[in-house]
Amino acid sequence: MFSDQKKSIAIFFLLLLFGSAVLYAGNGHFLFVQGGLYHAAQRDRSMSPLAYSGTGIAAGIAYEHRGHPNMEIFQLTLQSGNIRNRYGNTCAYQRFAFRNYTFYQKQDEFGKTLTFGWSNINAFHRYVNAAYGNYADRLNYYTLFGPAFRYAQPFRIGKLHFRVQLPADLQILGFYLRPSYISNSPSGYLDPENSAFMAWLRSIDIFVPSRDWHFSLNPELSLILGSGGRLSLTYQYQFVRIAKPEPFIQSKGTWYIGLVTKL
Amino acid sequence: MKKLLSIAGLSVLLLALSCESLLIPGDPASDPVANFEFLWREVDQKYAYFDYKSVDWDSVYSEYRPQVRADMSEQELFDLLAAMLNLLRDGHVNLTSAFDRSRNWSWYLDYPPNFNSNVVYRNYLADGYRISGPLHHQIIDSVLYVYYASFASEISQANLDALMDAAQGLKGVIIDIRGNGGGSGANAYALASCFTADTLLYGWQRIKSGPGDDDFSPWSALRIYPRSGKRFDGQLVLLCNRNSYSAANLFAQMITALPHARLVGDQSGGGGGIPAFGELPNGWMYRFSATQTLTPQGEHTEGGIPVDIRVDMDPLDEAAGIDSIIESALELFRNS
């Protein structure tokens, strides 16, 4: 049942991205294709007292619309690899996320810009402990909203145009689903009397700022191409801490090389 | 200059952020006391059978905690923790390190073996028995005898089709799971579903849902659904001994729900709880039962499933190459 829910949400986000792309097609619209490597370190106390860390591959596709006054970014990312503890035990790790930013941009895109807005992130983390015969899976899901800012600074070296930018966000509202005390099934799904909706409703926990944390910093260096597109090097850093039912904490950085095409 | 500062600033930021592991607090202390406390607490909060087994885990702490010394060797710590876990009298409880694996096998070693694979393979399966995946079978007196050594060996649908084809037109089927120490419940379910045309309730299960003694999920019904492919609706006899454990115990529980089935031999070994795994701060792995399973009548299956017809292997028969338990099962078909 949870697997079906995951698929449904994934399809929903894909449709949302596609719909957004159609809606905003025209000048000031950009498509990103990104590939890279991530390094993650995490501890899920429901699985182990030990930290697990490792490196894997990452891929992403994003759509950016620069209008007046808003600038919007939608990004889908997929990450896959292995994480291991200091004794060598491993977990297969995957992460799927959909994120969007809306910035209220008041200045010319080629000028120095500090703008504010909001962000939303929806993410699945799944990891499977190779040494556990039962209850080896852990699947975390969260949907969060929070304020965001973006600082951009264009500059030139000779005839080449560059831009550095730093979007960042801090999530303050939302909910999450986590495995129950022993099994991967969220707690609401352990009661056979619950309908699918009630099981979901009884499984979610509210994201409480200061008890729970989620923030990200995403510095990017871009070479502006003559076509209006750009070649970018991006580092996306994300920190997440979820307190219930047992603490999950993750610190992850992803290096992307991306090609941005103007639509 | 401004451009260079921007680039330098960005570089510093990127380098600073490349140390993801630094923001994760370090692993907990891994001294003997910390490992003991961690394991004791995990069992205290997640083990499912304290009440059923009348184990006072607090008094276990009082007895064992003073024996933990900061200077004890790894072997000494392992032996102490293993002895503590052994008090749970549970075959699903283990502590695993690189140098040893603790276990409690009293659930079958304290009872007669009631199984001799040489007798089975030489005199019952004998020449020409069929091997359908993990299912070894032979027709004996118009009865299909099936030996399944481990539920860890996966049964395919094609294996089941072959078994059902072999059983058609015969008086019945004997399934022998003596010595089967368990494996995957999915294999148990797949095999059991071949022998029912109706959906049957065979038990109840619940899982620990919090650290409190009574923190369990609501009971969930366990049901067998009829296999959609070939089935056998005739008489079925299941042979068990005390070494039929875990998934084999679950299979015996399923078979007791069938109206046309009987259990022969010794009661199964138990193992009604599904083990949850974990690891200590020093990297040792452990597991213990975190669920409870009941029969439809509300009896715990942790201690095993009683048989309908209790039979022990006769040593004189065994010496003569005769399996007293298989003979008793065959006799049921001769008399039916």
Side-chain angles (χ1 to χ4, degrees), chain A residues 97-139:
Chain A
F98 173 76
R99 177 168 66 171
N100 66 70
Y101 285 112
T102 298
F103 296 112
Y104 300 99
Q105 191 166 345
K106 297 285 176 61
Q107 298 180 38
D108 181 75
E109 65 180 85
F110 295 109
K112 180 178 169 182
T113 304
L114 177 62
T115 182
F116 295 90
W118 61 274
S119 64
N120 158 240
I121 184 160
N122 314 274
F124 286 101
H125 301 248
R126 179 174 185 261
Y127 32 100
V128 183
N129 195 308
Y132 290 9
N134 302 303
Y135 310 120
D137 288 34
R138 294 290 186 279
L139 181 63

Side-chain angles (χ1 to χ4, degrees), chain B residues 180-318:
Chain B
N180 186 324
S184 168
N187 291 321
Y189 179 85
L191 186 56
S193 68
C194 294
F195 297 97
T196 180
D198 303 309
T199 299
L200 297 172
L201 175 76
Y202 70 90
W204 301 93
Q205 195 168 67
R206 66 178 184 174
I207 187 169
K208 281 287 285 177
S209 60
D213 289 348
D214 299 320
D215 289 342
F216 282 91
S217 69
W219 290 103
S220 291
L222 299 173
R223 291 188 172 88
I224 321 169
Y225 295 91
R227 184 174 185 243
S228 58
K230 297 170 183 172
R231 295 193 301 268
F232 181 78
D233 299 329
Q235 294 294 310
L236 176 68
V237 172
L238 181 68
L239 310 186
C240 300
N241 66 357
R242 293 279 186 163
N243 202 3
S244 306
Y245 191 75
S246 190
N249 192 68
L250 186 70
F251 183 69
Q253 183 182 358
M254 293 173 185
I255 298 305
T256 57
L258 303 179
H260 54 282
R262 277 177 285 187
L263 271 62
V264 175
D266 197 356
Q267 76 174 62
S268 57
I274 299 174
F277 289 68
E279 57 191 354
L280 298 182
N282 65 3
W284 295 350
M285 311 287 296
Y286 59 83
R287 66 171 193 164
F288 52 74
S289 302
T291 69
Q292 293 179 341
T293 307
L294 302 180
T295 65
Q297 295 74 35
E299 299 292 327
H300 279 284
T301 63
E302 172 65 5
I305 306 294
V307 290
D308 299 305
I309 301 170
R310 176 81 168 83
V311 181
D312 279 325
M313 292 275 277
D314 183 323
L316 293 177
D317 280 352
E318 188 176 347

Side-chain angles (χ1 to χ4, degrees), chain A residues 39-43 45-53 85-87 89 112 129 131-135 153 155-157 164-166 181-183 190-192 215 217 219-221 233 235 237 239 246 249-255, chain B residues 2-3 6-7 10 13-15 17-30 38 41-42 45-46 207-212 217-221 274-288 290-291:
Chain A
H39 181 258
Q42 69 174 50
R43 176 179 289 109
R45 182 57 190 79
S46 75
M47 190 180 75
S48 172
L50 302 173
Y52 280 70
S53 62
N85 68 20
R86 63 181 166 134
Y87 298 103
N89 188 30
K112 180 178 169 182
N129 195 308
Y132 290 9
N134 302 303
Y135 310 120
Q153 168 79 60
F155 64 92
R156 291 178 59 179
I157 298 177
V164 289
Q165 66 170 349
L166 176 65
Y181 194 58
I182 301 290
S183 81
L190 297 178
D191 186 347
F215 65 86
L217 303 167
E220 178 184 301
L221 172 64
L233 175 65
Y235 177 80
Y237 176 78
F239 179 87
E246 294 187 84
I249 183 169
Q250 185 188 64
S251 170
K252 181 170 62 67
T254 309
W255 287 94
Chain B
K2 205 171 178 181
K3 298 167 196 169
S6 293
I7 294 169
L10 181 67
L13 184 61
L14 295 183
L15 284 173
L17 293 176
S18 295
C19 305
E20 294 84 10
S21 300
L22 295 179
L23 293 181
I24 299 294
D27 285 338
S30 182
F38 187 90
R41 189 173 59 255
E42 281 288 290
Q45 295 181 346
K46 295 178 178 173
I207 187 169
K208 281 287 285 177
S209 60
S217 69
W219 290 103
S220 291
I274 299 174
F277 289 68
E279 57 191 354
L280 298 182
N282 65 3
W284 295 350
M285 311 287 296
Y286 59 83
R287 66 171 193 164
F288 52 74
T291 69

Side-chain angles (χ1 to χ4, degrees), chain A:
Chain A
M1 182 181 295
F2 200 63
S3 176
D4 289 340
Q5 184 186 38
K6 180 180 170 182
K7 286 176 190 167
S8 302
I9 292 173
I11 291 168
F12 168 75
F13 288 135
L14 285 170
L15 290 173
L16 185 65
L17 182 73
F18 176 74
S20 303
V22 170
L23 187 65
Y24 289 105
N27 285 336
H29 304 281
F30 298 84
L31 185 68
F32 291 50
V33 179
Q34 299 170 303
L37 297 172
Y38 74 85
H39 181 258
Q42 69 174 50
R43 176 179 289 109
D44 182 348
R45 182 57 190 79
S46 75
M47 190 180 75
S48 172
L50 302 173
Y52 280 70
S53 62
T55 301
I57 58 170
I61 184 168
Y63 165 77
E64 177 183 310
H65 169 238
R66 283 193 218 150
H68 295 283
N70 292 358
M71 173 179 175
E72 290 167 291
I73 301 171
F74 301 88
Q75 184 191 36
L76 277 172
T77 55
L78 180 65
Q79 301 178 331
S80 181
N82 286 313
I83 49 177
R84 67 182 63 236
N85 68 20
R86 63 181 166 134
Y87 298 103
N89 188 30
T90 62
C91 291
Y93 173 84
Q94 284 93 36
R95 180 178 181 273
F96 173 79
F98 173 76
R99 177 168 66 171
N100 66 70
Y101 285 112
T102 298
F103 296 112
Y104 300 99
Q105 191 166 345
K106 297 285 176 61
Q107 298 180 38
D108 181 75
E109 65 180 85
F110 295 109
K112 180 178 169 182
T113 304
L114 177 62
T115 182
F116 295 90
W118 61 274
S119 64
N120 158 240
I121 184 160
N122 314 274
F124 286 101
H125 301 248
R126 179 174 185 261
Y127 32 100
V128 183
N129 195 308
Y132 290 9
N134 302 303
Y135 310 120
D137 288 34
R138 294 290 186 279
L139 181 63
N140 303 316
Y141 171 79
Y142 50 79
T143 287
L144 305 172
F145 300 86
F149 77 86
R150 173 178 171 269
Y151 173 76
Q153 168 79 60
F155 64 92
R156 291 178 59 179
I157 298 177
K159 293 182 178 177
L160 298 177
H161 294 261
F162 292 90
R163 188 181 70 196
V164 289
Q165 66 170 349
L166 176 65
D169 60 84
L170 174 67
Q171 306 300 319
I172 57 171
L173 290 172
F175 66 89
Y176 54 83
L177 268 83
R178 293 212 56 213
S180 53
Y181 194 58
I182 301 290
S183 81
N184 190 37
S185 296
S187 55
Y189 292 89
L190 297 178
D191 186 347
E193 300 297 319
N194 284 340
S195 65
F197 176 73
M198 286 308 296
W200 178 82
L201 193 63
R202 289 176 178 172
S203 296
I204 63 173
D205 273 303
I206 300 301
F207 184 91
V208 178
S210 82
R211 183 194 74 183
D212 305 312
W213 285 91
H214 189 294
F215 65 86
S216 65
L217 303 167
N218 313 288
E220 178 184 301
L221 172 64
S222 298
L223 169 65
I224 310 296
L225 304 176
S227 62
R230 58 187 195 267
L231 196 61
S232 66
L233 175 65
T234 309
Y235 177 80
Q236 295 192 340
Y237 176 78
Q238 176 190 284
F239 179 87
V240 56
R241 183 187 188 281
I242 297 173
K244 291 174 69 179
E246 294 187 84
F248 167 75
I249 183 169
Q250 185 188 64
S251 170
K252 181 170 62 67
T254 309
W255 287 94
Y256 284 113
I257 292 175
L259 180 63
V260 184
T261 307
K262 188 172 184 181
L263 297 175

